[in-house]
Amino acid sequence: MEKFLGKKKISILISGRGSNLKSLIKYSKTKNSLIKIVLVISNNSKAKGLKVASKSKVKSKYIKYLNKSNFENRSLKLLKKHKTDLVCLAGFMKILSKNFIKKLSKPIINIHPSLLPKYKGLNTHKRAIENRDKFSGATVHIVNDKLDSGKIILQKKIKILKSDTEKSLERKILKIEHKIYPLAIIKLLTNH
Ligand code: GRF
């Protein structure tokens, strides 16, 4: 009998380290997980996340980023071939086009290290500290064709301490990311 019967097929797009990928793989391997990871795509051949995938025997593919439409067309083919139900971006550093989102016609979600809509884009922790914010956090949201802008699925807030640096905040928020990404997927898949 097919072991993963009933599980949603997830593909994950990465560009780098892959610590969120690791947390999603960990969740996918828990007894009652709702997902099976069918494919990891990286636009960066040197991404550590590719090693994370191969260590866990998750299928991965490097697609060279020649240009947006070439990358997206090749990705689309693979995502469809693997019957992907949901795409998760995990440290994927490119913006997907409207056309890609439409053609895929499956939900795409992303994790971002700030309390969106605050601090879209890069250097979120630096900006939060420089602005003397009292809180920061992480957000999982639906992807649209504008940077870090789609509907929020789940957000978790933490206090920024006076003693926090960019690095310490990054470390704390990354831990939160690893917790909320699986939770956000569960929330999305179960409509809760
Ligand atoms: C994370 O902070 C994520 O929120 C952001 O990029 C970073 C990726 O880290 N989008 P990793 O590759 O998952 O370790």
Side-chain angles (χ1 to χ4, degrees):
M1 214 206 346
E2 158 72 341
K3 195 175 169 196
F4 292 102
L5 198 72
K7 299 207 183 214
K8 292 287 177 195
K9 296 186 175 68
I10 310 287
S11 292
I12 302 175
L13 268 58
I14 61 164
S15 299
R17 179 177 53 190
S19 70
N20 279 291
L21 166 65
K22 202 171 179 177
S23 96
L24 293 182
I25 292 175
K26 193 173 163 200
Y27 164 63
S28 74
K29 293 191 169 163
T30 58
K31 200 168 163 233
N32 297 318
S33 95
L34 303 178
I35 63 167
K36 172 179 165 55
I37 300 172
V38 291
L39 181 67
V40 171
I41 295 177
S42 173
N43 66 315
N44 170 11
S45 63
K46 294 193 174 71
K48 282 195 184 147
L50 286 172
K51 291 210 175 85
V52 171
S54 68
K55 262 194 190 163
S56 305
K57 305 204 166 35
V58 170
K59 186 166 184 184
S60 65
K61 176 90 179 146
Y62 157 59
I63 299 183
K64 193 171 181 179
Y65 202 91
L66 295 172
N67 56 58
K68 196 185 277 291
S69 69
N70 177 281
F71 178 85
E72 290 188 348
N73 286 333
R74 294 177 66 196
S75 300
L76 260 177
K77 266 195 193 146
L78 275 180
L79 294 170
K80 294 208 169 181
K81 185 175 158 205
H82 287 82
K83 301 194 164 42
T84 302
D85 298 306
L86 169 68
V87 171
C88 297
L89 310 185
F92 179 66
M93 302 304 284
K94 300 284 180 188
I95 297 176
L96 296 167
S97 71
K98 213 180 208 162
N99 188 42
F100 174 90
I101 296 168
K102 197 173 156 213
K103 277 195 186 155
L104 181 72
S105 74
K106 299 284 176 188
I108 308 172
I109 63 176
N110 180 42
I111 186 145
H112 185 74
S114 80
L115 293 174
L116 288 174
K118 261 195 155 177
Y119 310 130
K120 297 171 184 177
L122 298 175
N123 302 317
T124 54
H125 310 305
K126 184 164 183 269
R127 288 188 277 161
I129 286 179
E130 277 173 4
N131 287 337
R132 299 180 198 282
D133 288 358
K134 290 202 165 57
F135 296 94
S136 188
T139 307
V140 180
H141 65 94
I142 300 279
V143 170
N144 60 21
D145 62 325
K146 290 187 198 77
L147 181 66
D148 302 324
S149 292
K151 185 174 173 249
I152 291 173
I153 301 167
L154 196 62
Q155 190 165 67
K156 175 132 173 80
K157 194 162 145 182
I158 58 159
K159 214 167 183 179
I160 303 181
L161 307 177
K162 287 230 165 67
S163 56
D164 269 325
T165 60
E166 204 184 321
K167 277 266 155 281
S168 70
L169 194 57
E170 185 192 343
R171 231 177 292 125
K172 287 185 209 173
I173 291 178
L174 197 60
K175 271 196 185 161
I176 288 177
E177 292 184 38
H178 298 160
K179 284 193 190 130
I180 70 166
Y181 213 168
L183 293 178
I185 291 175
I186 295 168
K187 190 173 172 195
L188 184 74
L189 296 179
T190 57
N191 295 316
H192 284 134

